[in-house]
Amino acid sequence: MEQPQPLAKVTTVGNAVQYFNALRLPLTFTEATAYLRSLWHSANLLSLYRHYFPQEFAASTASTSLRVRGEYNELNELNGLYSPKEIEFLHLVEDKLFPIYLDYYLEGDEREDCIYIPSFGPDWWSYEFEELHAGWQLLLRICGSVEEDRNIANLDTHRAGVEAAFTGLKRHKVDWNKFRAICLAKDVPISYLPLAFDMLDHDTGNIFLDPTDEMPVEPLEWSIEDLDFLIEHYEEATTSLEKAEKLLDWLTASPLHLQEVIELWNECLYSQTPNS
């Protein structure tokens, strides 16, 4: 059973006015609409809380009370945008389901009906080239997304071998279907090469990997259908990121690995440069 909430401590007339303003019912159509919308949204989040975390929901003693008027202050913690029980749910989503912009919800000026998620794909054009994992830098040079003479950072011990390997790179355009088929027939981690290039192109089909600052993902709704979708895609994204990390670490471990990838790339070049 939900525990009763302690009354706010009122010490001044101003505090009393502020407290009772928080309890006042909506007086206009606009206020009533906002009030009902907040109540519906609160009930929806609590329903999702019960669905995805039934044990935590049953054990929770946090209040479901919601005040839609008044400011968040030391007098009454229920004057925030979300009830304490809703805040529990948002933290559980962040900790156990998938990342969300938690601070954006808890520190915003109004309740959010949609789910906003971060992207974990290598948005390489938004950062300094040298800040990328050296493995991403190598792959970008192989596919021609950066200048051919672009210096690879953080590979000083292998620099001579890396540059020697790049002298064998013939062209940047490959028969992608052929390249993918050959790579997938290889052992790990070479079999992860197509995935890594798809991640660079933001073309994996995964909602946590493909969006960019220029092309952000459309926000989703707080619904079972959309949460199930995000849970599945986050699991896929986590697996893809682990595969990419293994590939990049292997690729930067020895210039011989880079040479092996370049030879594989050259094997899949078009017989002639395709028309643009």
Side-chain angles (χ1 to χ4, degrees), residues 165-240:
F166 271 113
T167 61
L169 182 63
K170 297 178 180 179
R171 290 195 303 274
H172 298 300
K173 299 295 184 181
V174 299
D175 181 333
W176 184 246
N177 291 332
K178 180 180 179 181
F179 180 75
R180 179 184 294 275
I182 291 178
C183 288
L184 293 179
K186 299 284 186 180
D187 294 332
V188 170
I190 292 181
S191 59
Y192 299 153
L193 273 169
L195 170 64
F197 282 112
D198 283 342
M199 290 174 67
L200 286 174
D201 288 339
H202 291 258
D203 191 27
T204 66
N206 186 281
I207 199 171
F208 285 95
L209 298 177
D210 291 351
T212 66
D213 291 340
E214 293 77 13
M215 294 184 295
V217 64
E218 291 293 327
L220 283 81
E221 297 181 351
W222 287 101
S223 67
I224 292 176
E225 180 181 4
D226 282 355
L227 263 69
D228 285 348
F229 172 81
L230 289 171
I231 291 169
E232 178 182 355
H233 273 241
Y234 184 62
E235 291 175 352
E236 292 176 354
T238 300
T239 300
S240 294

Coordinates of all heavy atoms in Angstrom, one line a residue, residues 165-240:
A165 N 51.4 -0.8 -46.1 CA 50.2 -1.6 -46.5 C 49.3 -0.8 -47.4 O 48.7 -1.3 -48.4 CB 49.4 -2.0 -45.2
F166 N 49.2 0.5 -47.1 CA 48.3 1.4 -48.0 C 48.9 1.6 -49.4 O 48.1 1.9 -50.3 CB 48.1 2.7 -47.3 CG 46.9 2.8 -46.4 CD1 47.1 2.9 -45.0 CD2 45.6 2.6 -46.9 CE1 46.0 2.9 -44.1 CE2 44.6 2.6 -46.0 CZ 44.8 2.8 -44.6
T167 N 50.2 1.3 -49.6 CA 50.7 1.4 -51.0 C 50.1 0.4 -51.9 O 50.1 0.5 -53.1 CB 52.2 1.3 -51.0 OG1 52.6 0.0 -50.4 CG2 52.9 2.4 -50.1
G168 N 49.6 -0.7 -51.3 CA 49.0 -1.8 -52.0 C 47.5 -1.5 -52.3 O 46.9 -2.3 -53.1
L169 N 46.9 -0.5 -51.8 CA 45.5 -0.2 -52.0 C 45.3 0.3 -53.4 O 45.9 1.4 -53.8 CB 45.0 0.8 -51.0 CG 43.5 1.2 -51.1 CD1 42.6 0.0 -50.8 CD2 43.2 2.3 -50.1
K170 N 44.5 -0.3 -54.3 CA 44.4 0.0 -55.7 C 43.4 1.1 -55.9 O 43.7 2.1 -56.5 CB 44.1 -1.2 -56.5 CG 45.2 -2.3 -56.5 CD 44.9 -3.5 -57.3 CE 46.0 -4.6 -57.2 NZ 45.6 -5.8 -58.0
R171 N 42.2 0.9 -55.5 CA 41.1 1.9 -55.7 C 40.2 1.8 -54.5 O 40.3 0.9 -53.6 CB 40.3 1.6 -57.0 CG 41.1 1.9 -58.2 CD 40.2 2.0 -59.4 NE 39.3 0.8 -59.6 CZ 39.7 -0.3 -60.3 NH1 40.9 -0.3 -60.8 NH2 38.9 -1.3 -60.4
H172 N 39.2 2.7 -54.4 CA 38.3 2.8 -53.3 C 37.0 2.1 -53.5 O 36.2 1.9 -52.6 CB 38.1 4.2 -52.8 CG 39.4 4.9 -52.4 ND1 40.2 4.4 -51.3 CD2 40.0 6.0 -52.9 CE1 41.2 5.2 -51.2 NE2 41.2 6.2 -52.1
K173 N 36.6 1.9 -54.8 CA 35.3 1.4 -55.1 C 35.3 -0.1 -55.3 O 36.1 -0.6 -56.1 CB 34.7 2.1 -56.4 CG 34.6 3.6 -56.3 CD 33.6 4.0 -55.3 CE 33.4 5.5 -55.3 NZ 32.4 6.0 -54.2
V174 N 34.4 -0.8 -54.5 CA 34.4 -2.2 -54.6 C 33.0 -2.7 -55.0 O 32.0 -1.9 -54.8 CB 34.8 -2.9 -53.3 CG1 36.2 -2.5 -52.9 CG2 33.8 -2.5 -52.2
D175 N 32.9 -3.9 -55.4 CA 31.6 -4.5 -55.6 C 31.1 -5.0 -54.2 O 31.6 -5.9 -53.7 CB 31.8 -5.8 -56.5 CG 30.5 -6.5 -56.8 OD1 29.5 -6.4 -56.0 OD2 30.4 -7.2 -57.9
W176 N 30.2 -4.2 -53.7 CA 29.9 -4.3 -52.3 C 29.2 -5.7 -52.0 O 29.5 -6.3 -51.0 CB 28.9 -3.2 -51.9 CG 28.6 -3.3 -50.4 CD1 27.4 -3.5 -49.8 CD2 29.5 -3.1 -49.3 NE1 27.5 -3.5 -48.4 CE2 28.8 -3.3 -48.1 CE3 30.9 -2.8 -49.3 CZ2 29.4 -3.1 -46.9 CZ3 31.5 -2.7 -48.0 CH2 30.7 -2.9 -46.8
N177 N 28.4 -6.2 -52.9 CA 27.8 -7.5 -52.7 C 28.9 -8.6 -52.6 O 28.8 -9.5 -51.8 CB 26.8 -7.8 -53.8 CG 25.6 -6.9 -53.7 OD1 25.2 -6.5 -52.6 ND2 24.9 -6.7 -54.8
K178 N 29.8 -8.5 -53.5 CA 30.9 -9.5 -53.5 C 31.8 -9.4 -52.3 O 32.1 -10.4 -51.6 CB 31.8 -9.3 -54.8 CG 33.0 -10.3 -54.9 CD 33.8 -10.0 -56.1 CE 35.0 -10.9 -56.2 NZ 35.8 -10.7 -57.5
F179 N 32.1 -8.2 -51.9 CA 32.9 -7.9 -50.7 C 32.2 -8.5 -49.4 O 32.8 -9.2 -48.6 CB 33.1 -6.4 -50.5 CG 33.9 -6.1 -49.3 CD1 35.3 -6.3 -49.3 CD2 33.3 -5.5 -48.2 CE1 36.1 -6.0 -48.1 CE2 34.1 -5.2 -47.1 CZ 35.4 -5.4 -47.0
R180 N 30.9 -8.2 -49.3 CA 30.1 -8.7 -48.2 C 30.1 -10.2 -48.1 O 30.3 -10.8 -47.1 CB 28.7 -8.1 -48.2 CG 27.8 -8.6 -47.1 CD 26.4 -8.1 -47.3 NE 26.3 -6.7 -47.2 CZ 26.2 -6.0 -46.0 NH1 26.2 -6.7 -44.9 NH2 26.1 -4.7 -46.0
A181 N 29.8 -10.9 -49.3 CA 29.8 -12.3 -49.3 C 31.1 -12.9 -48.9 O 31.1 -13.9 -48.2 CB 29.3 -12.8 -50.7
I182 N 32.2 -12.4 -49.4 CA 33.5 -13.0 -49.1 C 33.8 -12.8 -47.6 O 34.3 -13.7 -47.0 CB 34.6 -12.3 -50.0 CG1 34.4 -12.8 -51.5 CG2 36.0 -12.7 -49.5 CD1 35.4 -12.2 -52.4
C183 N 33.6 -11.6 -47.1 CA 33.9 -11.3 -45.7 C 33.1 -12.2 -44.8 O 33.6 -12.8 -43.8 CB 33.5 -9.9 -45.4 SG 34.7 -8.7 -46.1
L184 N 31.8 -12.4 -45.1 CA 30.9 -13.2 -44.2 C 31.3 -14.7 -44.2 O 31.0 -15.4 -43.3 CB 29.5 -13.0 -44.6 CG 28.9 -11.6 -44.4 CD1 27.4 -11.6 -44.9 CD2 29.0 -11.2 -43.0
A185 N 32.1 -15.1 -45.2 CA 32.5 -16.5 -45.3 C 33.8 -16.6 -44.5 O 34.3 -17.8 -44.3 CB 32.7 -16.9 -46.7
K186 N 34.4 -15.5 -44.1 CA 35.7 -15.6 -43.3 C 35.4 -15.8 -41.8 O 34.3 -15.7 -41.4 CB 36.5 -14.3 -43.5 CG 36.8 -14.0 -45.0 CD 38.0 -14.8 -45.4 CE 38.5 -14.4 -46.8 NZ 39.6 -15.2 -47.3
D187 N 36.5 -16.0 -41.1 CA 36.4 -16.1 -39.7 C 36.3 -14.8 -39.0 O 36.6 -13.7 -39.6 CB 37.7 -16.8 -39.1 CG 37.8 -18.3 -39.6 OD1 36.7 -18.9 -39.8 OD2 38.9 -18.8 -39.7
V188 N 35.9 -14.8 -37.8 CA 35.9 -13.6 -36.9 C 37.3 -13.1 -36.7 O 38.2 -14.0 -36.5 CB 35.2 -13.9 -35.6 CG1 35.4 -12.7 -34.6 CG2 33.7 -14.2 -35.8
P189 N 37.7 -11.8 -36.7 CA 36.7 -10.7 -36.9 C 36.6 -10.1 -38.3 O 35.9 -9.2 -38.5 CB 37.4 -9.7 -36.0 CG 38.9 -9.9 -36.2 CD 39.0 -11.4 -36.3
I190 N 37.3 -10.8 -39.3 CA 37.1 -10.2 -40.6 C 35.7 -10.3 -41.1 O 35.2 -9.4 -41.8 CB 38.0 -11.0 -41.6 CG1 39.5 -10.8 -41.3 CG2 37.7 -10.7 -43.1 CD1 40.5 -11.5 -42.2
S191 N 34.9 -11.2 -40.6 CA 33.5 -11.3 -41.0 C 32.7 -10.1 -40.5 O 31.6 -9.9 -41.0 CB 32.9 -12.6 -40.4 OG 33.0 -12.7 -39.0
Y192 N 33.3 -9.3 -39.6 CA 32.6 -8.1 -39.1 C 32.8 -6.9 -40.0 O 32.3 -5.8 -39.7 CB 33.0 -7.8 -37.7 CG 32.8 -8.9 -36.7 CD1 33.5 -9.0 -35.5 CD2 31.7 -9.8 -36.8 CE1 33.3 -10.0 -34.6 CE2 31.4 -10.7 -35.9 CZ 32.3 -10.8 -34.7 OH 32.0 -11.8 -33.8
L193 N 33.7 -7.0 -41.0 CA 34.0 -5.9 -41.8 C 32.8 -5.2 -42.5 O 32.6 -4.0 -42.4 CB 35.0 -6.3 -42.9 CG 36.5 -6.2 -42.5 CD1 37.3 -6.9 -43.6 CD2 36.9 -4.7 -42.4
P194 N 31.8 -6.0 -43.1 CA 30.7 -5.3 -43.7 C 29.9 -4.5 -42.7 O 29.4 -3.4 -43.0 CB 29.9 -6.5 -44.3 CG 30.9 -7.5 -44.5 CD 31.9 -7.4 -43.4
L195 N 29.7 -5.1 -41.5 CA 29.0 -4.4 -40.4 C 29.7 -3.0 -40.1 O 29.1 -2.0 -39.9 CB 28.9 -5.2 -39.2 CG 28.4 -4.5 -37.9 CD1 27.0 -4.1 -38.1 CD2 28.5 -5.5 -36.7
A196 N 31.0 -3.1 -40.0 CA 31.8 -1.9 -39.6 C 31.6 -0.8 -40.7 O 31.4 0.4 -40.4 CB 33.3 -2.2 -39.5
F197 N 31.6 -1.2 -42.0 CA 31.4 -0.2 -43.0 C 30.0 0.3 -43.0 O 29.7 1.5 -43.3 CB 31.8 -0.8 -44.4 CG 33.3 -0.8 -44.6 CD1 34.0 -2.0 -44.7 CD2 34.0 0.4 -44.8 CE1 35.3 -2.1 -44.9 CE2 35.4 0.3 -45.0 CZ 36.1 -0.9 -45.1
D198 N 29.0 -0.5 -42.8 CA 27.6 -0.1 -42.6 C 27.5 0.9 -41.5 O 26.7 1.9 -41.6 CB 26.7 -1.3 -42.4 CG 26.5 -2.1 -43.7 OD1 26.7 -1.6 -44.8 OD2 26.0 -3.3 -43.5
M199 N 28.2 0.7 -40.4 CA 28.2 1.6 -39.3 C 28.7 3.0 -39.7 O 28.2 4.0 -39.3 CB 28.9 1.0 -38.1 CG 28.2 -0.2 -37.4 SD 29.1 -1.0 -36.1 CE 29.1 0.3 -34.9
L200 N 29.8 3.0 -40.4 CA 30.4 4.2 -40.9 C 29.4 5.0 -41.8 O 29.3 6.2 -41.8 CB 31.7 4.0 -41.6 CG 32.9 3.6 -40.8 CD1 34.1 3.3 -41.7 CD2 33.3 4.8 -39.8
D201 N 28.6 4.2 -42.6 CA 27.7 4.8 -43.5 C 26.3 5.1 -42.8 O 25.4 5.6 -43.4 CB 27.4 3.9 -44.7 CG 28.6 3.9 -45.7 OD1 29.4 4.8 -45.6 OD2 28.7 2.9 -46.4
H202 N 26.2 4.7 -41.6 CA 24.9 4.8 -40.8 C 23.8 4.1 -41.6 O 22.7 4.7 -41.8 CB 24.6 6.3 -40.5 CG 25.5 6.9 -39.5 ND1 25.2 7.1 -38.2 CD2 26.8 7.3 -39.7 CE1 26.2 7.6 -37.6 NE2 27.2 7.8 -38.4
D203 N 24.1 2.9 -42.0 CA 23.2 2.1 -42.9 C 23.0 0.7 -42.3 O 23.0 -0.2 -43.1 CB 23.7 2.1 -44.3 CG 22.7 1.6 -45.3 OD1 21.5 1.7 -45.0 OD2 23.1 1.0 -46.3
T204 N 22.9 0.6 -41.0 CA 22.8 -0.7 -40.4 C 21.3 -1.2 -40.3 O 21.0 -2.3 -40.0 CB 23.4 -0.8 -39.0 OG1 22.7 0.1 -38.2 CG2 24.8 -0.3 -39.1
G205 N 20.4 -0.2 -40.4 CA 19.0 -0.5 -40.1 C 18.7 -0.5 -38.6 O 17.5 -0.9 -38.2
N206 N 19.6 0.0 -37.8 CA 19.4 0.0 -36.3 C 19.2 1.4 -35.9 O 19.9 2.3 -36.2 CB 20.6 -0.6 -35.6 CG 20.4 -0.8 -34.1 OD1 20.5 0.2 -33.4 ND2 20.0 -2.0 -33.7
I207 N 18.1 1.6 -35.0 CA 17.7 3.0 -34.6 C 18.7 3.6 -33.7 O 18.7 4.8 -33.5 CB 16.3 2.9 -34.0 CG1 15.7 4.3 -34.0 CG2 16.4 2.3 -32.6 CD1 14.2 4.3 -33.6
F208 N 19.6 2.8 -33.0 CA 20.6 3.4 -32.1 C 21.9 3.6 -32.8 O 22.8 4.2 -32.2 CB 20.8 2.4 -30.9 CG 19.7 2.4 -29.9 CD1 18.7 1.5 -30.0 CD2 19.7 3.4 -28.9 CE1 17.7 1.5 -29.0 CE2 18.7 3.4 -28.0 CZ 17.7 2.5 -28.0
L209 N 22.1 3.2 -34.1 CA 23.3 3.3 -34.8 C 23.3 4.2 -36.0 O 24.3 4.8 -36.3 CB 23.8 1.9 -35.2 CG 24.1 0.9 -34.1 CD1 24.6 -0.4 -34.8 CD2 25.2 1.4 -33.2
D210 N 22.1 4.3 -36.6 CA 22.0 5.0 -37.9 C 21.8 6.5 -37.8 O 22.2 7.3 -38.6 CB 20.9 4.4 -38.8 CG 21.3 3.0 -39.3 OD1 22.5 2.6 -39.1 OD2 20.4 2.3 -39.8
P211 N 21.0 7.1 -36.8 CA 20.8 8.5 -36.8 C 22.1 9.3 -36.6 O 23.1 8.9 -36.1 CB 19.9 8.7 -35.5 CG 19.3 7.3 -35.3 CD 20.3 6.3 -35.7
T212 N 22.0 10.5 -37.1 CA 23.1 11.5 -37.0 C 22.6 12.8 -36.5 O 21.4 13.0 -36.4 CB 23.8 11.7 -38.4 OG1 22.9 12.3 -39.3 CG2 24.3 10.4 -39.0
D213 N 23.5 13.7 -36.3 CA 23.0 15.1 -35.9 C 22.2 15.7 -37.0 O 21.3 16.5 -36.7 CB 24.2 16.0 -35.5 CG 24.9 15.5 -34.2 OD1 24.3 14.8 -33.5 OD2 26.1 15.9 -34.0
E214 N 22.6 15.5 -38.2 CA 21.9 16.0 -39.4 C 20.6 15.3 -39.6 O 19.6 15.9 -40.1 CB 22.8 16.0 -40.6 CG 24.0 16.9 -40.6 CD 25.1 16.4 -39.7 OE1 25.1 15.2 -39.4 OE2 26.0 17.1 -39.4
M215 N 20.5 14.0 -39.3 CA 19.3 13.2 -39.6 C 19.0 12.4 -38.3 O 19.2 11.2 -38.2 CB 19.6 12.2 -40.7 CG 19.8 12.9 -42.1 SD 19.9 11.7 -43.4 CE 21.5 10.9 -43.0
P216 N 18.4 13.1 -37.3 CA 18.1 12.5 -36.0 C 16.9 11.6 -36.2 O 16.1 11.7 -37.2 CB 17.7 13.7 -35.1 CG 17.3 14.7 -36.1 CD 18.1 14.6 -37.3
V217 N 16.8 10.6 -35.3 CA 15.7 9.7 -35.4 C 14.4 10.4 -34.9 O 14.4 11.3 -34.1 CB 16.0 8.5 -34.4 CG1 16.0 8.9 -33.0 CG2 14.9 7.4 -34.6
E218 N 13.3 9.9 -35.6 CA 12.0 10.5 -35.2 C 11.7 9.9 -33.8 O 11.9 8.7 -33.5 CB 10.9 10.0 -36.2 CG 11.0 10.7 -37.5 CD 10.7 12.2 -37.4 OE1 9.9 12.6 -36.6 OE2 11.3 12.9 -38.2
P219 N 11.2 10.7 -32.9 CA 10.9 10.3 -31.5 C 9.8 9.2 -31.5 O 8.9 9.3 -32.4 CB 10.4 11.5 -30.8 CG 10.0 12.5 -31.9 CD 10.9 12.2 -33.0
L220 N 9.8 8.3 -30.6 CA 8.9 7.2 -30.5 C 7.9 7.5 -29.3 O 8.2 8.4 -28.5 CB 9.5 5.9 -30.4 CG 10.1 5.3 -31.7 CD1 11.5 5.9 -32.0 CD2 10.2 3.8 -31.6
E221 N 6.9 6.7 -29.2 CA 5.9 6.9 -28.2 C 6.1 6.0 -27.0 O 6.8 5.0 -27.1 CB 4.5 6.7 -28.8 CG 4.0 7.6 -29.9 CD 2.6 7.3 -30.4 OE1 2.1 6.3 -30.0 OE2 2.1 8.1 -31.2
W222 N 5.6 6.5 -25.9 CA 5.6 5.6 -24.7 C 4.5 4.6 -24.8 O 3.4 4.8 -24.3 CB 5.5 6.5 -23.4 CG 6.7 7.3 -23.1 CD1 6.9 8.6 -23.3 CD2 7.9 6.8 -22.5 NE1 8.1 9.0 -22.9 CE2 8.8 7.9 -22.4 CE3 8.3 5.6 -22.0 CZ2 10.0 7.8 -21.8 CZ3 9.5 5.5 -21.4 CH2 10.4 6.6 -21.3
S223 N 4.8 3.5 -25.5 CA 3.9 2.5 -25.7 C 4.6 1.1 -25.6 O 5.8 1.1 -25.8 CB 3.2 2.6 -27.0 OG 4.1 2.4 -28.1
I224 N 3.9 0.1 -25.4 CA 4.5 -1.3 -25.3 C 5.1 -1.6 -26.7 O 6.2 -2.1 -26.7 CB 3.5 -2.3 -24.9 CG1 3.0 -2.1 -23.5 CG2 4.0 -3.7 -25.1 CD1 1.9 -3.1 -23.0
E225 N 4.4 -1.3 -27.7 CA 5.0 -1.6 -29.1 C 6.3 -0.9 -29.3 O 7.3 -1.5 -29.8 CB 4.0 -1.2 -30.1 CG 4.4 -1.4 -31.6 CD 3.4 -1.0 -32.6 OE1 2.4 -0.4 -32.2 OE2 3.6 -1.2 -33.8
D226 N 6.4 0.4 -29.0 CA 7.6 1.1 -29.3 C 8.7 0.8 -28.3 O 9.9 0.7 -28.7 CB 7.4 2.6 -29.3 CG 6.7 3.1 -30.5 OD1 6.5 2.3 -31.5 OD2 6.3 4.3 -30.6
L227 N 8.4 0.5 -27.0 CA 9.4 0.1 -26.1 C 10.0 -1.3 -26.4 O 11.2 -1.5 -26.4 CB 8.8 0.1 -24.7 CG 9.1 1.3 -23.8 CD1 8.3 2.5 -24.4 CD2 8.8 1.1 -22.4
D228 N 9.1 -2.2 -26.9 CA 9.6 -3.5 -27.3 C 10.6 -3.4 -28.5 O 11.6 -4.0 -28.6 CB 8.5 -4.4 -27.7 CG 7.7 -5.0 -26.5 OD1 8.2 -4.8 -25.3 OD2 6.6 -5.6 -26.6
F229 N 10.2 -2.5 -29.4 CA 11.0 -2.2 -30.6 C 12.4 -1.7 -30.1 O 13.4 -2.1 -30.6 CB 10.3 -1.2 -31.5 CG 11.1 -0.7 -32.6 CD1 11.3 -1.4 -33.8 CD2 11.7 0.6 -32.5 CE1 12.0 -0.9 -34.9 CE2 12.5 1.1 -33.6 CZ 12.6 0.3 -34.8
L230 N 12.4 -0.7 -29.2 CA 13.7 -0.1 -28.8 C 14.5 -1.1 -28.0 O 15.7 -1.1 -28.1 CB 13.4 1.1 -27.9 CG 12.8 2.3 -28.7 CD1 12.4 3.4 -27.7 CD2 13.9 2.9 -29.6
I231 N 13.9 -1.9 -27.2 CA 14.6 -3.0 -26.4 C 15.3 -3.9 -27.4 O 16.5 -4.2 -27.2 CB 13.6 -3.8 -25.5 CG1 13.1 -2.9 -24.4 CG2 14.3 -5.0 -24.9 CD1 12.0 -3.5 -23.6
E232 N 14.6 -4.3 -28.4 CA 15.2 -5.2 -29.4 C 16.4 -4.6 -30.1 O 17.5 -5.2 -30.3 CB 14.2 -5.7 -30.4 CG 14.7 -6.6 -31.5 CD 13.6 -7.0 -32.5 OE1 12.5 -6.6 -32.3 OE2 14.0 -7.6 -33.5
H233 N 16.2 -3.3 -30.6 CA 17.2 -2.6 -31.3 C 18.4 -2.3 -30.4 O 19.6 -2.3 -30.9 CB 16.7 -1.3 -32.0 CG 16.0 -1.6 -33.3 ND1 16.5 -1.0 -34.4 CD2 15.0 -2.4 -33.7 CE1 15.8 -1.4 -35.5 NE2 14.9 -2.3 -35.0
Y234 N 18.2 -2.0 -29.2 CA 19.3 -1.7 -28.3 C 20.2 -3.0 -28.1 O 21.4 -2.9 -28.0 CB 18.9 -1.2 -26.9 CG 20.0 -0.7 -26.1 CD1 20.9 0.3 -26.5 CD2 20.2 -1.4 -24.8 CE1 22.0 0.6 -25.6 CE2 21.3 -1.0 -24.0 CZ 22.2 0.0 -24.4 OH 23.2 0.3 -23.6
E235 N 19.6 -4.1 -27.9 CA 20.3 -5.4 -27.8 C 21.1 -5.6 -29.1 O 22.3 -6.0 -29.0 CB 19.4 -6.5 -27.6 CG 18.7 -6.5 -26.2 CD 17.7 -7.6 -26.0 OE1 17.4 -8.3 -27.0 OE2 17.2 -7.7 -24.9
E236 N 20.5 -5.4 -30.2 CA 21.3 -5.5 -31.5 C 22.4 -4.5 -31.6 O 23.5 -4.9 -32.0 CB 20.3 -5.3 -32.7 CG 19.3 -6.4 -32.8 CD 18.3 -6.1 -34.0 OE1 18.4 -5.0 -34.5 OE2 17.4 -6.9 -34.3
A237 N 22.2 -3.3 -31.2 CA 23.2 -2.3 -31.2 C 24.4 -2.6 -30.3 O 25.5 -2.4 -30.7 CB 22.6 -0.9 -30.9
T238 N 24.1 -3.1 -29.1 CA 25.1 -3.5 -28.2 C 26.0 -4.6 -28.8 O 27.2 -4.5 -28.7 CB 24.5 -4.0 -26.9 OG1 23.7 -2.9 -26.3 CG2 25.6 -4.4 -25.9
T239 N 25.3 -5.6 -29.4 CA 26.1 -6.7 -30.0 C 26.9 -6.2 -31.2 O 28.1 -6.5 -31.3 CB 25.1 -7.8 -30.5 OG1 24.4 -8.3 -29.4 CG2 25.9 -8.9 -31.2
S240 N 26.4 -5.3 -32.0 CA 27.1 -4.7 -33.1 C 28.3 -3.9 -32.7 O 29.4 -4.0 -33.3 CB 26.2 -3.8 -34.0 OG 25.2 -4.6 -34.6

